[in-house]
């Protein structure tokens, strides 16, 4: 099986993921550790980063270690067993979120360890990806989001409420 170093901070990322599943997550810490950690991204047949599309969002598949990548490779048919070799790249999480996601040209995020027991999704929203590709930003290059392509929804209007009697 090929080997790669995912950086000294991979254990910190694993700790943040564990905290999320223990319901003690600090979202900024989880995103921060992901950004500082190199993750393994398998390559598709054309040499691009492996991704899948679900509900109109392209998800780049990343893995925290070789075991997680091997489970995915076997499950997706990239490899026949966990000992078989396949091509991948070690990519810093920040590069995936700040460079690769915007370069896709469509809504995209990162799916981490999706074949494992503790998958994590980094969706295309503010605070994770640049605002111009964040779906919850009022102005993004896809013209979708809270205001939609045609402007604010009826639910975006302020609601006037009567003051409660003292």
């Amino acid at each position: 099986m090929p080997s790669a170093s995912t950086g000294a901070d991979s254990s910190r990322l694993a700790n943040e993921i564990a905290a999320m599943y223990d319901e003690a997550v600090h979202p900024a810490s989880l995103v921060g550790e992901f950004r500082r950690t190199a993750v393994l991204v398998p390559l598709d047949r054309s040499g691009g980063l492996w991704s899948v599309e679900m509900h109109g969002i392209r998800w780049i598949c990343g893995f925290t270690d070789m075991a997680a990548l091997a489970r995915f490779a076997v499950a997706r048919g990239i490899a026949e067993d966990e000992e078989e070799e396949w091509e991948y790249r070690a990519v810093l999480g920040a590069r995936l979120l700040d460079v690769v996601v915007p370069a896709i040209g469509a809504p995209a995020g990162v799916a981490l360890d999706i074949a494992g027991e503790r998958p994590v999704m980094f969706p295309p929203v503010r605070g994770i990806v640049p605002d111009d590709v964040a779906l919850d930003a009022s102005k993004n290059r896809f013209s979708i989001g809270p205001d939609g392509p045609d402007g604010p929804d009826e639910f975006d209007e302020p609601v006037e409420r009567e003051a409660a009697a003292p």
Side-chain angles (χ1 to χ4, degrees):
M1 181 182 324
S3 63
S5 171
T6 55
D9 290 336
S10 63
S11 63
R12 290 182 182 167
L13 178 58
N15 290 340
E16 289 297 330
I17 293 169
M20 181 183 79
Y21 278 89
D22 291 339
E23 298 181 12
V25 67
H26 296 95
S29 295
L30 176 62
V31 173
E33 287 304 329
F34 175 72
R35 293 172 85 54
R36 289 185 284 276
T37 303
V39 296
L40 306 177
V41 182
L43 301 181
D44 62 21
R45 291 187 176 144
S46 66
L49 300 179
W50 191 283
S51 64
V52 297
E53 187 168 326
M54 179 178 275
H55 303 294
I57 297 176
R58 173 75 40 195
W59 296 96
I60 302 162
C61 302
F63 301 91
T64 54
D65 58 29
M66 291 304 300
L69 176 54
R71 282 190 300 273
F72 172 79
V74 170
R76 292 294 294 190
I78 301 171
E80 289 185 26
D81 61 49
E82 293 185 14
E83 299 300 317
E84 189 174 328
E85 292 192 18
W86 53 90
E87 291 189 65
Y88 64 90
R89 296 283 181 265
V91 184
L92 199 60
R95 186 164 181 80
L96 288 173
L97 296 174
D98 296 340
V99 178
V100 177
V101 164
I104 289 175
V110 177
L112 187 66
D113 290 344
I114 58 172
E117 295 176 4
R118 294 182 167 196
V120 179
M121 307 299 272
F122 294 94
V125 296
R126 290 178 295 166
I128 295 178
V129 300
D131 285 356
D132 70 324
V133 294
L135 297 182
D136 63 337
S138 60
K139 294 185 187 264
N140 62 59
R141 72 169 79 159
F142 310 117
S143 298
I144 55 177
D147 292 342
D150 301 320
D153 293 333
E154 62 183 277
F155 301 108
D156 291 338
E157 299 298 321
V159 176
E160 292 186 29
R161 299 186 190 271
E162 293 181 27

